[in-house]
Amino acid sequence: SCDIKHCVNCRNCKDKKCACVLDKFIKYTEEIISNSNGIIIGSPVYYYSITSQLQAFITRLCYSRPKLLEHKLCSFFSVSRRTGNTNCFDQIMKVFQMHNAIMVGGTYVNEVHGDKPYEIQFDKEGLLSLEAIEKNFLAIMPLIEKAKRNDIKKEHTNFISREFLSYVKKENEQKECIKLLNESYD
């Protein structure tokens, strides 16, 4: 276990084009992922969510290296006593989707149930889904090199187009003109 700090938006990783400067664990993990064909992340369910430590890790990793997961096989599974797994699944799979990863599924939502660690061995359906993830990874891995050769473009925007900003500016200018005209008649 390691103490993973949350992202403080210092932007050193962006400005210096380096791994996150808060600790060496992110850099270490980045090297492992860079040299692999994919990753499988697992998390217990805490209050219908992934652990705060995993959230901090995935945020810092993907923020400092947004292309790290590109064309990597990625999957996720969660462990819960009863429920909350689909929320966790949704959280992580959206991260994979945003980073152009190749998402690998199992036979159902990738979840295993058990209140105590040894109890997951009794969740046959969950274990079969995890086995399916492994088999799917092995089936898809030969296609990875071909996928890496595809040049997929991605543009980071703030979701407000220049056209919209231009329209708003013109609207404001028109309102100012009308205001001035009204004031001149008073």
Side-chain angles (χ1 to χ4, degrees), residues 172-183:
N172 288 339
E173 288 172 358
Q174 286 178 344
K175 287 177 184 175
E176 278 297 313
C177 287
I178 292 170
K179 182 180 172 189
L180 288 172
L181 283 172
N182 288 337
E183 286 175 0

Side-chain angles (χ1 to χ4, degrees), residues 44-46 48 78-85 112-116 119-120 123:
V45 176
Y46 289 175
Y48 290 86
S78 59
V79 181
S80 73
R81 183 176 65 87
R82 297 176 108 182
T83 188
N85 299 73
V112 185
H113 293 91
D115 190 27
K116 306 268 188 290
E119 290 178 353
I120 66 168
D123 181 4

Side-chain angles (χ1 to χ4, degrees), residues 43-53 79-80 83-84 88 91:
S43 176
V45 176
Y46 289 175
Y47 295 101
Y48 290 86
S49 183
I50 59 174
T51 65
S52 58
Q53 197 171 30
V79 181
S80 73
T83 188
C88 295
Q91 276 181 290

Side-chain angles (χ1 to χ4, degrees), residues 57-101:
F57 166 74
I58 201 78
T59 299
R60 288 182 44 221
L61 182 72
C62 292
Y63 186 77
S64 64
R65 290 289 182 253
K67 293 193 176 281
L68 185 64
L69 297 178
E70 190 169 275
H71 299 128
K72 300 279 186 191
L73 296 177
C74 294
S75 193
F76 171 78
F77 72 94
S78 59
V79 181
S80 73
R81 183 176 65 87
R82 297 176 108 182
T83 188
N85 299 73
T86 52
N87 291 346
C88 295
F89 182 79
D90 192 43
Q91 276 181 290
I92 294 294
M93 294 309 265
K94 284 179 180 172
V95 171
F96 294 158
Q97 182 180 4
M98 288 172 25
H99 290 90
N100 206 21

